[in-house]
Amino acid sequence: MFLSRIRVWQNQEASEARLRDTRTHSLIAFSDLGFLSIQHVYGAQHPPFDPLLHANLIKAGNRPPPTTPGKPKKATTFQEFESTTSDAWDVDDDELLAMGAQNLNIEVVMETANKVIENHSRQQELQRQDDSLEVEQREEDPTEEDPEEQEVEREEEVERAQEWELHSPEVSFTSSPYTDVRLVKSHSEAPIGSPKDAESERAALHRQRSLPHRPPVIPLVARFGDQNTSGTPAMTEREASRLDKFRQILAGPNTDLEELRKLSWSGIPRQVRPITWKLLSGYLPPNAERRENVLQRKRREYFGFIQQYYDSRNDEHHQDTYRQIHIDIPRTNPLIPLFQQASVQEIFERILFIWAIRHPASGYVQGINDLVTPFFVVFVFEYIEEEVENFDVSSLEEEALRNIEADSFWCMSKLLDGIQDNYTFAQPGIQRKVKALEELVSRIDDSVHRHMHQYEVEYLQFAFRWMNNLLMRELPLRCTIRLWDTYQAEPEGFSHFHLYVCAAFLVRWRKEILEEKDFQGLMILLQNLPTMHWGNEEVSVLLAEAYRLKFAFADAPNHYKR
């Protein structure tokens, strides 16, 4: 009896080991063959979707089969899209844990995995046969290329491969439906293969030549706000001249705010951005002698609010607000290490909680948490010179951290004072702006407007987030900071000019929008626009187009309508 139990236990252990191996191989095979089902989650996209980084997710296998030309395909309804989409804000943490605890049927897993592995092996064998035939044909071909030319071509392929790997040095993937799946962390771990392996390596390099060139990776928060995607020097002669002009205006006893706005419209140098934002937002007075006294008074006032109200966060009538803030803070720019530090998250919690209880008409609304981040980053730059993305704020003095926190609170409050109707009950400000955006786009680009109407795409389904978060979920943080330079300089920039920026932003993707032929494709595009590699050049073009639209339509509201 004892021996039989041991045998049963050994059989179970062996079965579990085979199942683990099968699951691993099936996952690789699913991913490799394009069978892996990727379900998009909206409401928590950080940073904006990058097609170069997510190229493996968009394969022909994931697309629906083409329809027959006989019957036109009916547009997918919003209900169908909603049933296949998860919303990160609607799913509670307990529900996520319960979903993760569900187990799949082992028989179904084993059967599916075996089929995938069998198909994968069959395709590999077919590819090997094709490769061997191709080699034989090259050997029999009398018009074979000169060996020296082949050697030059191989060297070029190696250089291209090395250039490709330089852009992603930590992990490089070589994955294809017809080649072995490998994960090589470094060149030292790459196996030394036979000549046949070398031939397959050259084939892989040849396939890589067809891949698009990937631009250099830019930090999500660039060290200099004036950095461009083209990798130009951080400080040119023109930028140095602009910096001198800013310093001249700021050095006077009374700052001319009109001149400062004109100069700031085209972007503010990083070195003077903190003081310029404080002046343009109305946090600091133009008179230089009064600034220090105002700063000290407002900072003391903020921490007086902390002492008076923050301990009430666990009271019955405030605990729901604090709980929602506490949940949303880790979701704020999760890919930037700066915002995952415990001390930074505590600062954000205090700022948002104090603002919420001091504005009971709106209270805290999801999306306001994003609006703190540009101010926080800009005011951190007031105390450091290095990159802020990985900066450890605990290295700052306590007084500097307190100043950054208080200044961020007051500047965010000034911003929200102009758009508070966006966050009151039913958010009427956003409703009006989305409607105005729809009417404006129908006038400036009727083709885009009719295309979205044809496939039942409502503007509220994608533009609500544009208005609620001021495009912060659609652009990298470095671009948001540059955008806000102009918003601070433009009269009613956040409340009025933002509408024209959204219109220009939508029409900017005209070609991509018209290429999508169903509801789901349009929604995925509009909520994952490829702006990861945007810089000042793209933002400047966007702002120029928005200003042109404002000049044409702002003083003629009837132009909105046909």
Side-chain angles (χ1 to χ4, degrees):
M1 179 67 68
F2 180 74
L3 292 176
S4 63
R5 288 182 179 177
I6 291 177
R7 291 193 186 95
V8 170
W9 177 78
Q10 290 175 342
N11 291 336
Q12 290 177 347
E13 287 291 316
S15 299
E16 291 176 359
R18 286 194 300 271
L19 178 59
R20 284 194 298 270
D21 293 340
T22 303
R23 285 175 176 172
T24 303
H25 289 297
S26 63
L27 178 59
I28 294 173
F30 267 109
S31 175
D32 195 38
L33 294 175
F35 295 147
L36 187 61
S37 177
I38 302 298
Q39 187 181 49
H40 289 266
V41 178
Y42 297 115
Q45 179 82 22
H46 290 284
F49 181 75
D50 182 8
L52 298 176
L53 298 177
H54 299 76
N56 289 334
L57 302 184
I58 306 175
K59 294 187 177 180
N62 291 335
R63 296 186 177 276
T67 57
T68 56
K71 281 188 177 181
K73 181 179 177 182
K74 184 180 178 181
T76 309
T77 63
F78 176 70
Q79 288 77 13
E80 294 175 359
F81 174 73
E82 184 182 29
S83 65
T84 59
T85 305
S86 297
D87 192 334
W89 309 123
D90 291 342
V91 180
D92 204 346
D93 296 339
D94 297 335
E95 295 178 3
L96 286 173
L97 292 175
M99 291 164 57
Q102 295 180 356
N103 294 323
L104 295 175
N105 187 303
I106 295 179
E107 295 180 358
V108 174
V109 171
M110 294 290 290
E111 182 181 357
T112 306
N114 289 332
K115 288 182 179 179
V116 171
I117 293 172
E118 182 181 352
N119 292 335
H120 185 62
S121 301
R122 187 183 301 114
Q123 289 188 355
Q124 282 187 320
E125 184 62 29
L126 291 174
Q127 180 60 24
R128 291 191 190 99
Q129 294 176 4
D130 292 341
D131 291 342
S132 61
L133 289 174
E134 185 177 351
V135 172
E136 291 176 1
Q137 290 176 357
R138 284 204 303 267
E139 291 176 354
E140 296 175 358
D141 189 1
T143 60
E144 186 175 0
E145 294 182 0
D146 186 69
E148 294 182 359
E149 295 180 359
Q150 292 181 352
E151 185 65 26
V152 171
E153 184 176 353
R154 291 194 190 97
E155 291 177 359
E156 291 177 354
E157 291 172 348
V158 171
E159 290 176 0
R160 289 190 183 93
Q162 290 174 349
E163 182 183 0
W164 179 267
E165 291 178 358
L166 282 175
H167 299 316
S168 53
E170 295 181 357
V171 179
S172 60
F173 292 90
T174 305
S175 178
S176 169
Y178 308 110
T179 57
D180 294 335
V181 178
R182 290 167 295 167
L183 176 60
V184 181
K185 293 184 180 179
S186 65
H187 293 290
S188 61
E189 297 181 16
I192 301 175
S194 60
K196 185 175 182 180
D197 294 333
E199 183 67 28
S200 62
E201 286 288 339
R202 283 194 291 272
L205 292 176
H206 180 71
R207 281 192 295 274
Q208 283 188 349
R209 293 176 62 184
S210 62
L211 293 171
H213 176 69
R214 180 178 175 181
V217 176
I218 303 173
L220 297 177
V221 186
R223 178 180 177 184
F224 289 94
D226 297 321
Q227 181 176 358
N228 294 319
T229 57
S230 59
T232 54
M235 183 66 69
T236 63
E237 292 184 4
R238 178 180 177 274
E239 290 164 351
S241 175
R242 294 188 72 248
L243 179 59
D244 289 339
K245 292 180 180 178
F246 271 97
R247 285 175 172 162
Q248 290 174 8
I249 294 177
L250 296 171
N254 289 285
T255 303
D256 188 340
L257 293 183
E258 281 303 313
E259 287 298 318
L260 187 62
R261 286 193 179 95
K262 291 178 182 178
L263 197 57
S264 300
W265 205 97
S266 300
I268 304 171
R270 179 192 62 85
Q271 295 87 338
V272 295
R273 183 176 278 129
I275 181 66
T276 304
W277 276 27
K278 292 173 187 176
L279 286 167
L280 294 180
S281 65
Y283 175 43
L284 288 183
N287 184 274
E289 293 182 356
R290 296 179 52 221
R291 288 175 194 165
E292 187 61 30
N293 291 334
V294 170
L295 273 177
Q296 297 301 327
R297 177 172 57 83
K298 299 297 282 185
R299 288 167 179 171
R300 286 197 304 268
E301 186 178 352
Y302 169 72
F303 284 101
F305 295 152
I306 296 292
Q307 294 178 356
Q308 183 177 359
Y309 299 117
Y310 194 61
D311 289 338
S312 68
R313 63 188 182 279
N314 294 318
D315 293 352
E316 183 178 356
H317 55 290
H318 287 154
Q319 62 183 2
D320 289 342
T321 297
Y322 178 73
R323 177 182 177 275
Q324 189 61 57
I325 293 172
H326 187 72
I327 290 174
D328 288 348
I329 291 300
R331 297 168 174 170
T332 305
N333 294 295
L335 297 183
I336 301 179
L338 172 70
F339 299 112
Q340 301 310 306
Q341 299 176 35
S343 55
V344 174
Q345 294 184 356
E346 291 172 3
I347 288 173
F348 278 37
E349 285 182 1
R350 290 194 291 268
I351 290 174
L352 294 171
F353 181 76
I354 296 302
W355 188 88
I357 64 176
R358 293 189 73 246
H359 296 81
S362 62
Y364 173 73
V365 177
Q366 287 176 323
I368 296 179
N369 56 306
D370 285 335
L371 306 183
V372 186
T373 56
F375 292 113
F376 184 81
V377 168
V378 168
F379 297 148
V380 166
F381 272 132
E382 197 170 6
Y383 297 92
I384 67 172
E385 292 293 332
E386 61 266 32
E387 291 184 6
V388 71
E389 189 169 329
N390 296 291
F391 179 73
D392 183 6
V393 296
S394 62
S395 62
L396 289 174
E397 296 181 359
E398 182 179 356
E399 182 182 359
L401 267 179
R402 288 169 62 89
N403 293 343
I404 292 169
E405 179 177 349
D407 295 346
S408 299
F409 169 81
W410 288 114
C411 288
M412 186 198 73
S413 299
K414 290 287 186 181
L415 185 160
L416 290 171
D417 286 347
I419 58 173
Q420 191 170 356
D421 61 344
N422 284 7
Y423 305 105
T424 55
F425 178 73
Q427 300 182 269
I430 293 180
Q431 302 278 353
R432 289 194 300 270
K433 289 170 185 173
V434 171
K435 183 62 177 176
L437 175 66
E438 182 176 0
E439 294 174 348
L440 181 58
V441 172
S442 69
R443 296 297 295 161
I444 63 178
D445 198 327
D446 187 55
S447 297
V448 169
H449 177 72
R450 286 188 289 105
H451 186 76
M452 291 195 293
H453 185 267
Q454 176 184 357
Y455 294 104
E456 302 179 9
V457 175
E458 299 291 338
Y459 282 75
L460 196 64
Q461 293 165 357
F462 66 89
F464 179 89
R465 191 172 76 180
W466 296 10
M467 303 299 178
N468 189 62
N469 301 82
L470 299 177
L471 286 177
M472 286 196 62
R473 297 290 178 90
E474 326 313 318
L475 299 172
L477 185 53
R478 62 179 182 274
C479 293
T480 298
I481 292 173
R482 167 62 189 91
L483 188 69
W484 284 23
D485 286 346
T486 301
Y487 282 4
Q488 299 272 10
E490 182 74 21
E492 298 182 328
F494 293 98
S495 60
H496 186 62
F497 186 62
H498 180 67
L499 167 66
Y500 300 97
V501 172
C502 289
F505 186 66
L506 179 62
V507 176
R508 160 68 176 77
W509 307 102
R510 182 180 193 278
K511 178 177 177 292
E512 291 81 356
I513 289 172
L514 296 179
E515 287 176 353
E516 296 294 339
K517 301 300 182 184
D518 57 33
F519 175 85
Q520 185 165 346
L522 283 167
M523 288 300 300
I524 290 174
L525 171 67
L526 291 170
Q527 297 206 10
N528 298 278
L529 291 166
T531 60
M532 171 60 71
H533 296 284
W534 272 32
N536 278 2
E537 296 172 359
E538 290 81 2
V539 175
S540 297
V541 172
L542 178 68
L543 289 167
E545 178 63 18
Y547 185 80
R548 186 186 70 82
L549 294 176
K550 179 191 173 187
F551 184 81
F553 291 94
D555 296 326
N558 288 334
H559 287 184
Y560 283 153
K561 303 175 183 179
R562 291 185 177 278

